[in-house]
Amino acid sequence: MLRVVSWNINGIRSPLQGLTCQGPSNCSTALRRILDKLDADIVCLQETKVTRDVLTEPLAVVEGYNSYFSFSRSRGGYSGVATFCKDSATPVAAEEGLSGVFATQNGDVGCYGNMNEFTQEELRVLDSEGRAVLTQHKIRTLEGKEKTLTLINVYCPHADPGRPERLTFKMRFYRLLQIRAEALLAAGSHVIILGDLNTAHRPIDHCDAGSLECFEEDPGRKWMDYLLSSPGMEAGSHTGLFMDSYRWFHPKQERAFTCWSVVSGARHLNYGSRLDYVLGDRSLVIDIFQSSFLLPDVMGSDHCPVGAVLNVSCVPAKQCPALCTRFLPEFAGTQLKILRFLVPLEQEPVRVQTVLQPSHQIQVQKHPSKARMHSTRPRKSQGVSQRNQKNLMSYFQPSSSLPQPSPDVELPSLPLVGPLTIPKTPEEVTVATVVEDKVKVSEAKNEKEVRTSFWKSMLSGPSPMPLCGGHREPCVMRTVKKAGPNLGRQFYMCARPRGPPSDPSARCNFFLWSRPS
């Protein structure tokens, strides 16, 4: 059996933050435990959010696996995909990207199809965000026949409603993915497209499809309608080249979601959408797929893993393709590091004593790379000035040119004259003392009250949260992050997790601005 799993991990280092990684070997072991927990021969990760310059060896080279990464070339901490194959499922070829722009002609998958509708610059831009890795495997069926299987690990773009150019980018990426997958299929290979497609295909795949305007008219859903065969193969339905494996085995399963909003806590009530898929060509899904599944109990990301089991065995290649991360110079040990130039070689110096001269001796110290002359002639003290240079303190001594007062001459002392005072009677002195004491007490009391009120205002904490209208429970404060006139404003809303409107335990519709506009 061949088990494949796909997971949008939302940062490959995120699941490791909860584990103890006090060294590179520990981090490598932690990632190995995650891969082993998924229990798959091939694990495809999306949204790794690492670029090559920050990729560390514990993440790139895991014992028992060979890995293949695609990095974003446009920005750091963004996008990225990675495929980890067990050594028993080593691919025969691997390639980064869909267009072939980054192909090296050494162990590539090939079969690109007709891409004349794209310019070279457009192909480079589409593949520059690190959204696809292809691995090609040899598989053996239960009848003993060997076939070729190509896995396309893909992280499709998200269409931001406020940025229409991203919708264009997403649809062009979809088109490029379709051309490449159909070309591989036409060349005789079975094809699996798995990953985060960033589109909920059917209303059954979305928690609140009815509230979305023109749900069926979304360009991404129309593209999936054309790519996929309809579940059940009803008469008159469209026959695409690929099938949604989960809907083939679970055509009417509701609330089968793979992505939830972290901010609203929607995963608690399973109020999300299905964005992650394992798509296969029709004959592969119908004849070879044994099951397709979701793993909603696996935490660590806003997505859950999805996967499938195939009734085939994998025939591992004898050697990993050139794209394998263990062949990168920084991990293969072929790249020189700067420490090689800074750490001296520890070798015993060889000393050769030459002919003694009358006044001193000379020793020659030989090293593997250079020789230095060390004289035994006694050196002059470093503290003795050789050019009679004056001491700095000499410039601060009193000058002899200025007249100095004679020690025998005494200057006349002038009497000190104080301010004129008017004598007071004992009664006046007593009254003045009492008044002065009262003033001091009053000033101290006022100062203490001012300080007390200040610290009370500082340490009193925030004002109590208002109660929501549906549950009479304290609200939670949120900040508007969407561009517009209310950007940055804060508001109160129900603190419960988001869920179906019919669920009384879900969030109510309470809303209140924290400050009037």
Side-chain angles (χ1 to χ4, degrees):
M1 300 297 176
L2 177 66
R3 179 182 168 100
V4 296
V5 168
S6 170
W7 189 17
N8 182 322
I9 201 170
N10 193 22
I12 193 171
R13 292 170 287 189
S14 298
L16 302 181
Q17 292 176 356
L19 301 174
T20 304
C21 293
Q22 298 178 349
S25 60
N26 292 337
C27 284
S28 180
T29 304
L31 181 58
R32 170 70 183 270
R33 289 203 302 267
I34 292 176
L35 296 175
D36 290 346
K37 182 180 180 181
L38 295 176
D39 190 25
D41 300 288
I42 303 172
V43 178
C44 297
L45 304 178
Q46 300 88 42
E47 208 171 354
T48 57
K49 295 184 179 180
V50 292
T51 49
R52 180 171 173 177
D53 59 321
V54 299
L55 181 67
T56 59
E57 187 170 353
L59 297 178
V61 181
V62 181
E63 184 182 359
Y65 293 82
N66 48 90
S67 59
Y68 308 86
F69 279 73
S70 178
F71 310 101
S72 173
R73 291 168 169 80
S74 57
R75 52 188 283 198
Y78 176 73
S79 189
V81 296
T83 299
F84 287 82
C85 304
K86 281 187 176 179
D87 291 341
S88 58
T90 301
V92 296
E95 184 178 331
E96 178 185 6
L98 298 171
S99 65
V101 172
F102 301 126
T104 61
Q105 304 300 325
N106 184 13
D108 295 329
V109 174
C111 302
Y112 302 101
N114 186 1
M115 298 184 181
N116 293 335
E117 60 185 272
F118 299 91
T119 64
Q120 283 297 312
E121 181 60 27
E122 187 178 10
L123 293 175
R124 182 173 294 276
V125 170
L126 289 172
D127 269 343
S128 65
E129 293 188 355
R131 294 185 175 274
V133 160
L134 284 72
T135 55
Q136 196 167 71
H137 306 259
K138 288 294 183 182
I139 58 174
R140 183 179 291 114
T141 64
L142 297 179
E143 295 79 16
K145 297 181 180 179
E146 288 195 2
K147 297 184 178 181
T148 302
L149 172 65
T150 304
L151 271 71
I152 305 179
N153 176 11
V154 66
Y155 173 47
C156 294
H158 169 68
D160 189 346
R163 299 174 60 190
E165 70 277 5
R166 291 303 294 179
L167 176 59
T168 303
F169 184 91
K170 177 178 181 177
M171 298 312 300
R172 294 300 282 171
F173 187 88
Y174 276 161
R175 176 59 181 159
L176 181 61
L177 172 62
Q178 180 180 349
I179 292 176
R180 185 68 188 274
E182 291 178 351
L184 288 164
L185 198 59
S189 172
H190 286 298
V191 178
I192 292 178
I193 303 172
L194 71 169
D196 181 1
L197 298 188
N198 252 319
T199 296
H201 185 203
R202 301 289 188 188
I204 194 176
D205 300 319
H206 198 282
C207 63
D208 197 13
S211 65
L212 299 180
E213 185 178 357
C214 302
F215 182 87
E216 301 287 352
E217 301 301 318
D218 178 78
R221 295 183 179 93
K222 284 185 171 294
W223 175 80
M224 293 189 72
D225 289 341
Y226 181 82
L227 180 73
L228 302 177
S229 295
S230 300
M233 299 299 298
E234 299 90 351
S237 61
H238 171 70
T239 305
L241 297 178
F242 292 87
M243 297 185 67
D244 180 353
S245 65
Y246 187 81
R247 286 302 171 202
W248 172 253
F249 290 97
H250 314 279
K252 297 182 180 180
Q253 179 65 50
E254 297 181 352
R255 300 172 61 81
F257 304 136
T258 66
C259 180
W260 305 266
S261 171
V262 176
V263 176
S264 63
R267 190 168 188 172
H268 180 71
L269 296 176
N270 191 24
Y271 196 69
S273 56
R274 191 167 73 99
L275 306 180
D276 304 86
Y277 300 84
V278 179
L279 312 178
D281 64 81
R282 284 172 39 82
S283 63
L284 185 70
V285 173
I286 295 174
D287 300 332
I288 297 180
F289 269 57
Q290 184 185 39
S291 64
S292 185
F293 55 86
L294 312 180
L295 299 175
D297 295 332
V298 177
M299 301 297 176
S301 171
D302 56 341
H303 292 247
C304 77
V306 301
V309 177
L310 287 70
N311 282 320
V312 295
S313 59
C314 196
V315 181
K318 295 181 179 180
Q319 185 176 1
C320 298
L323 186 65
C324 183
T325 51
R326 68 178 58 172
F327 296 143
L328 294 177
E330 54 265 39
F331 305 135
T334 58
Q335 182 179 28
L336 293 179
K337 299 183 179 180
I338 192 170
L339 292 179
R340 298 267 308 200
F341 300 95
L342 299 179
V343 179
L345 298 177
E346 296 183 359
Q347 295 186 8
E348 291 293 334
V350 180
R351 298 180 182 272
V352 179
Q353 189 169 2
T354 58
V355 181
L356 295 178
Q357 297 189 8
S359 59
H360 60 277
Q361 296 177 351
I362 300 178
Q363 292 179 346
V364 181
Q365 183 179 6
K366 292 187 178 180
H367 290 274
S369 59
K370 55 186 177 181
R372 294 181 181 177
M373 303 297 293
H374 297 276
S375 174
T376 60
R377 178 183 298 176
R379 296 183 179 181
K380 296 182 179 181
S381 174
Q382 297 293 334
V384 180
S385 176
Q386 298 182 1
R387 293 184 292 178
N388 297 326
Q389 184 176 2
K390 293 183 178 181
N391 192 297
L392 181 63
M393 296 302 297
S394 64
Y395 292 94
F396 295 94
Q397 295 177 359
S399 175
S400 59
S401 61
L402 296 178
Q404 301 292 332
S406 174
D408 300 332
V409 178
E410 293 184 2
L411 296 177
S413 58
L414 297 177
L416 297 176
V417 180
L420 296 176
T421 59
I422 300 175
K424 295 182 180 181
T425 63
E427 293 81 3
E428 292 176 341
V429 173
T430 303
V431 171
T433 304
V434 172
V435 171
E436 184 178 354
D437 292 342
K438 289 185 176 180
V439 170
K440 289 181 179 179
V441 171
S442 177
E443 290 179 352
K445 185 177 181 180
N446 292 338
E447 184 179 359
K448 183 178 180 180
E449 290 178 353
V450 171
R451 291 181 178 179
T452 302
S453 61
F454 169 76
W455 285 111
K456 281 184 177 180
S457 63
M458 292 293 294
L459 302 178
S460 62
S463 57
M465 292 288 180
L467 303 181
C468 67
H471 310 97
R472 306 304 298 170
E473 296 175 351
C475 292
V476 64
M477 179 180 285
R478 300 296 186 198
T479 304
V480 178
K481 297 183 179 180
K482 185 177 180 180
N486 293 322
L487 179 64
R489 290 189 64 185
Q490 294 180 322
F491 60 92
Y492 299 104
M493 62 185 303
C494 180
R496 293 200 177 192
R498 188 181 178 188
S502 59
D503 190 346
S505 63
R507 174 192 300 171
C508 63
N509 294 327
F510 180 82
F511 178 89
L512 177 66
W513 289 111
S514 62
R515 293 180 181 179
S517 58

